[in-house]
Amino acid sequence: MLVEALRRSSKVAVAKYAWSGRERLGLLRVHGDALVLHAMHWDDEIRDPSELLPPPVEVEEIEGALALMETMSREDLEGEECKDTYTEALARIIEVKRDHRPLPEAPKPQEPQEPAKVLDLMSALQESVAKAKASRGEDEGPADLHEMPAPKKRTAKKSASAKKTAANRTAARRPRTA
């Protein structure tokens, strides 16, 4: 009766229900021939989204990022790189299993030959923009290069309270003997 009444009225119902020992708030609506309950939150359970935002910062490299985005933008979404290869591979595996054939061996991932290098993101961004412009035949203007600031050196001095805290942690970890 409730399903038919909600369907004819094109309305939803707000309901209270008990779940895991708590009173909860829910929204009842009709979907097909079923009655669906959507869990809702009480107002004290909802956090203010402004406390989740990071503090505002000034980004100097935004123009370079915008230029890179522009060079990488495309109007069409066709081609080999826009193909769902995962679904195709899964369909092949299902077909092989259905025919009771052995699965093909997965290729082994290649291990890196040398450790990864730490890159200067700004110079990598500018290099990428320059390559993209060159591939399109655009005029390449002079690139603005920024020097990376030298990392600050830390001294080996420790304050007395830091030494005491480290000693307390070490003492707390030692097993006691009886």
Side-chain angles (χ1 to χ4, degrees), residues 35-56:
L35 190 61
V36 180
L37 173 68
H38 295 277
M40 297 173 61
H41 294 283
W42 297 102
D43 59 350
D44 64 338
E45 296 175 320
I46 300 173
R47 291 177 23 180
D48 182 17
S50 64
E51 66 188 48
L52 302 175
L53 295 174

Side-chain angles (χ1 to χ4, degrees), residues 130 133 138-144:
K133 284 183 177 180
E138 290 183 13
D139 182 23
E140 221 182 298
D144 294 332

Side-chain angles (χ1 to χ4, degrees), residues 85-154:
T85 57
Y86 177 80
T87 304
E88 291 175 358
L90 189 60
R92 286 193 301 268
I93 289 173
I94 292 170
E95 183 179 323
V96 166
K97 283 190 168 200
R98 188 175 3 153
D99 296 341
H100 301 290
R101 294 182 297 178
L103 291 174
E105 279 200 35
K108 293 182 181 179
Q110 295 179 356
E111 296 198 17
Q113 304 288 332
E114 57 187 57
K117 297 177 184 176
V118 178
L119 297 176
D120 173 15
L121 291 178
M122 189 61 195
S123 62
L125 175 67
Q126 289 174 344
E127 182 181 331
S128 180
V129 169
K131 283 182 182 177
K133 284 183 177 180
S135 69
R136 292 190 312 205
E138 290 183 13
D139 182 23
E140 221 182 298
D144 294 332
L145 297 177
H146 299 283
E147 289 294 321
M148 292 292 292
K152 294 181 181 178
K153 293 183 180 180
R154 295 180 181 220

